[in-house]
């Protein structure tokens, strides 16, 4: 399985120059992560919803459309999307939250958790990154997010 996070950086590559290549890469990947605001910036303001982004990229094994502090929608195949709202977080530092979210979703997918749980774990791990100014060189944040997820879901860890 291949995954791709669009992760466009306008300071490095203008949206106009990046649009075609990023769309081609997204269409080639099995699992795609993209922010709604990012998709609008790169592919146009006509993308008003997660469903619009899905229509542009096309059905994938999975497509995750993030909408900042609102939440995220995960589409699998041609099925309907599942939306999970993001829990409120007091943001200390936003850097790394998108990568942490992706790590949480990927870890949950590898564990075979349901779609809603994949997004919930992504939000929890992102929340850990948002509440910290530290980089985590090991998997401690992911383990902590998974432990918190299990605790909140009323299950034993590991």
């Amino acid at each position: 399985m291949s995954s791709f996070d669009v992760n466009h950086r306008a300071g490095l590559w203008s949206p106009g120059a990046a649009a075609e290549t990023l769309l081609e890469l997204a269409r080639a990947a099995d699992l795609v992560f993209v922010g709604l605001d990012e998709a609008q910036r790169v592919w146009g303001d006509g993308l008003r919803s997660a469903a619009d982004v899905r229509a542009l990229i096309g059905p994938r094994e999975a497509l995750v459309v993030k909408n900042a502090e609102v939440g995220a929608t995960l589409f699998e195949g041609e099925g309907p999307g599942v939306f999970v709202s993001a829990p409120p977080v007091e943001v200390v530092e936003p850097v790394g939250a998108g990568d942490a979210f992706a790590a949480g979703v990927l870890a949950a997918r590898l564990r075979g958790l349901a779609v809603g749980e994949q997004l919930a774990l992504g939000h929890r791990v992102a929340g850990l990154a948002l509440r910290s100014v530290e980089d985590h060189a090991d998997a401690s944040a992911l383990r902590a997010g998974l432990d918190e997820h299990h605790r909140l879901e009323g299950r034993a860890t590991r």
Side-chain angles (χ1 to χ4, degrees):
M1 173 176 75
S2 64
S3 66
F4 176 63
D5 186 345
V6 173
N7 206 12
H8 176 255
R9 296 291 180 256
L12 301 175
W13 205 6
S14 73
E20 185 177 334
T21 299
L22 290 175
L23 185 57
E24 183 179 312
L25 290 168
R27 287 178 173 164
D30 298 312
L31 169 61
V32 177
F33 293 91
V34 63
L36 179 58
D37 60 338
E38 172 180 54
Q40 292 167 335
R41 186 175 59 251
V42 173
W43 297 310
D45 291 336
L47 301 172
R48 298 280 181 207
S49 68
D52 291 343
V53 176
R54 181 194 195 186
L56 174 71
I57 294 175
R60 323 259 26 93
E61 180 177 317
L63 168 65
V64 178
V65 181
K66 304 172 286 179
N67 192 358
E69 66 276 350
V70 175
T73 303
L74 195 155
F75 297 95
E76 284 192 314
E78 295 193 28
V82 173
F83 174 81
V84 173
S85 60
V89 175
E90 186 174 329
V91 178
V92 174
E93 173 60 57
V95 174
D99 292 335
F101 177 83
V105 170
L106 288 167
R109 283 186 80 76
L110 291 171
R111 283 184 158 67
L113 299 181
V115 171
E117 292 181 284
Q118 293 171 33
L119 292 172
L121 183 58
H123 288 312
R124 289 190 181 107
V125 177
L128 293 170
L130 289 165
R131 293 189 300 265
S132 174
V133 295
E134 301 296 320
D135 285 335
H136 300 281
D138 58 27
S140 62
L142 183 56
R143 277 194 295 277
L146 189 57
D147 289 345
E148 179 184 4
H149 177 75
H150 286 298
R151 182 182 56 76
L152 291 173
E153 297 295 321
R155 288 187 249 160
T157 57
R158 293 189 248 297

